Structures are given as C-alpha cells and as structure tokens.
Amino acid sequence: MGIGRVMSEREAHVTLLGPTEIRDLAELLGIVPTKKLGQNFVIDPNTVRRIVRTAGVRTGESVVEIGPGLGSLTLGLLEVGASVVAVEIDGRLAAQLPKTVQRLAPDSSLTVIHRDAMHVIELPSAPMRLVANLPYNVSVPVLLHFMEHFPTIVAGVVMVQAEVGNRIAAIPGSKVYGAPSVKAEWYGSWRTHGQVSRQIFWPVPNVDSVLVGFERRERPLGDEAERLATFTLIDAGFQQRRKMLRQSLQSVLGDTATASEIIEAAGVRPESRSEQLTVHDFLAIARIADRHTKIH
C-alpha cells in the first residue's frame, strides 16, 4: 500500500473545521479570542491544507504544534497521518482539543501538553517537524526556543505576522534584517512562502500574515558556548545597529581599540555595521574574542 493510498483513506475519516464549527466551539467553551494571547483562529480548511502541504508533512511523522487553539491546523496534520504533540497554554483549549479530535479524527495520534511553550524543554516524542500558527506577540522567542531545545526538528512551517516573518527570513543588507534574522540563521535556512489572507482568521486581525518555512542545518555551526557568545554579540550589535561594529561591540569586547583588533582578526571590517554581517561573521568574532580572552 503506497503513501498516497494511506493518506486518502485517512482523509475520509478526518473532518476539518470551518467558520461555523469554530464559532460553535468557542461559544461552547465560553471563549472570546484575546489579543493578549494572540488568539486568531483559522477558519479556512484550504489554508490549513496549504500549510500542511508547504511543510511537507508525511504519514507517520512526529510533528509538534505550538498553540493549536481550537484545532484547525491540528486536524489538518492528523488528516495526512502525522503524529501530533500539541502545546497549548489555555486550559480550556487544551482540555477540549482531544474531544474535538476524537469526534472529527477518530483513531488519530494526538498528545496535548497544557503548558507555556517557553517552558517546554522535553516532549514525549522526538518531533521531526514544527508546524504552527504562532501568536504574534511571542512568535520569535518561541520559535528560537524550540529550535534550541529540540534538535530533532529538521524542518517546518510557521504562520506569523508578515512583519515578523519577513524579518526572520531577511538577508544581510536588507532594511528588515535584524537580530532575529541572524539568530534564526544559526539553526538553518529560512524563506517565506507567500502571504495569507486576513479573512481566513476569526476574528480578522489588523495585520497581514505570511508562511515561513525552514530547514535545519545538517551540522550545528558551533557548540552551546559558542552559540551563547555569538548571540550576545548579535544582541549588542543590533542594539546600536547604526554604529560601526567597533563601537557597537565594545560593550562586549572591551574598548574600541580592542574591539577593532578582535573584529579585524575575525576577517571582518571594524567599520561594518551589524546589518551587513552573517551569522558566520558573528561566530568568527566570538571565536577570536574567546581566544583573545584566553591569551590575555
């Protein structure tokens, strides 16, 4: 039996959520979507299937979903036969999700963890992919947290605010390139996969959304100490992004003369600005700085 046949049989047993079902579930739970939790529920099955297809999710894969809400995307993942671990901060939503799945996707593999995603450092299974509609206010920290703590995640797709998504996937030199861009690059390659209509959400947000896909590097750029040192430099550099590196990094590397010496030894021009550097440049500076400290 081929994968295509397996998927078609599963699809016959899974029902996705539409606008009416989403509103009925919210009313049942007494939920009024809040901006504080970034609750904008997806009400369009076609968009759900687009996300799952873009993420390349296959039958039998373990997927972690952050913020499943009422279960729109969860059902889409289960529809193709994935095994889903869903992390949900809202107790009412976490309690309802297994009931919704039991009714609309019986015999599916779902585990719900009721917790703040930023505090999750262990999961019951090793996820291969991360697929999520991330709340606008915490999308970057949550994404970087999961990339850091779950190295088995090799790829995925997240739906985020367009401004945030474009920043994550930005390249050096672009106007929106910043600390999130460089930190994301530590883990792998990122690219946008098109905008998503505001109308597929309830309630309709006042911002645009995009899909951002990623693939993890086959080998880490460095060890944990090097990552922490590199991220410290990235934060310092972009806090004063308009200044030359020798000025913006002196708070971490010492005075301007010492900073210039270290930056130059790393093969980077001290007159450069942070938005011109790749993650490799910041790592090179971190390694020279570490050697410089040991020498002195």
Side-chain angles (χ1 to χ4, degrees):
M1 184 181 293
I3 288 179
R5 179 74 179 278
V6 173
M7 287 174 63
S8 63
E9 288 183 358
R10 285 209 59 81
E11 288 169 1
H13 294 88
V14 176
T15 303
L16 300 191
L17 296 171
T20 302
E21 293 83 4
I22 288 291
R23 288 184 174 89
D24 286 347
L25 274 172
E27 185 177 352
L28 173 70
L29 299 175
I31 286 177
V32 178
T34 67
K35 285 186 177 181
K36 181 181 178 182
L37 294 178
Q39 290 173 327
N40 296 92
F41 301 116
V42 180
I43 59 174
D44 178 48
N46 289 329
T47 299
V48 166
R49 291 191 174 109
R50 174 189 169 192
I51 295 169
V52 175
R53 186 172 61 249
T54 302
V57 179
R58 293 179 174 84
T59 302
E61 289 185 342
S62 177
V63 178
V64 61
E65 181 189 4
I66 303 163
L70 292 168
S72 301
L73 183 53
T74 311
L75 289 165
L77 293 166
L78 295 172
E79 182 180 55
V80 299
S83 175
V84 178
V85 176
V87 180
E88 175 57 58
I89 192 172
D90 188 309
R92 294 167 299 175
L93 295 172
Q96 176 61 38
L97 187 57
K99 301 174 186 176
T100 301
V101 167
Q102 180 58 38
R103 181 169 59 89
L104 300 178
D107 304 319
S108 296
S109 176
L110 171 70
T111 302
V112 178
I113 296 175
H114 173 212
R115 212 166 173 208
D116 183 337
M118 288 299 292
H119 297 156
V120 173
I121 57 173
E122 289 183 332
L123 291 172
S125 61
M128 183 177 180
R129 297 182 193 274
L130 186 157
V131 184
N133 168 26
L134 290 177
Y136 296 153
N137 51 345
V138 295
S139 50
V140 171
V142 165
L143 192 52
L144 294 177
H145 174 82
F146 270 73
M147 294 302 288
E148 174 190 345
H149 289 283
F150 300 100
T152 59
I153 296 173
V154 297
V157 166
V158 293
M159 181 159 57
V160 294
Q161 182 179 344
E163 180 184 346
V164 174
N166 291 330
R167 188 178 298 135
I168 292 171
I171 60 173
S174 68
K175 289 183 179 179
V176 295
Y177 187 73
S181 322
V182 196
K183 290 180 179 180
E185 191 188 0
W186 176 274
Y187 298 106
S189 58
W190 306 72
R191 60 182 290 248
T192 56
H193 289 273
Q195 284 205 340
V196 178
S197 169
R198 298 183 186 190
Q199 304 306 315
I200 65 101
F201 294 101
W202 175 73
V204 177
N206 57 5
V207 293
D208 293 317
S209 298
V210 295
L211 299 183
V212 178
F214 65 89
E215 291 185 5
R216 187 186 287 270
R217 297 180 185 278
E218 290 186 9
R219 288 178 295 182
L221 285 181
D223 60 28
E224 179 62 8
E226 289 176 324
R227 184 190 70 81
L228 291 172
T230 300
F231 280 24
T232 297
L233 289 172
I234 292 168
D235 288 336
F238 282 97
Q239 279 174 2
Q240 304 180 73
R241 60 184 296 152
R242 294 186 180 182
K243 291 189 175 182
M244 296 180 185
L245 278 180
R246 64 187 179 205
Q247 296 172 302
S248 62
L249 298 186
Q250 67 175 334
S251 62
V252 179
L253 300 179
D255 56 33
T256 305
T258 304
S260 294
E261 180 186 341
I262 292 172
I263 294 167
E264 203 160 359
V268 180
R269 292 174 58 249
E271 300 81 18
S272 302
R273 289 172 172 78
S274 293
E275 59 264 33
Q276 298 171 300
L277 272 58
T278 67
V279 71
H280 300 281
D281 295 324
F282 280 104
L283 174 58
I285 296 170
R287 284 174 170 164
I288 295 295
D290 180 60
R291 213 177 306 159
H292 185 276
T293 302
K294 289 174 182 176
I295 292 172
H296 290 75

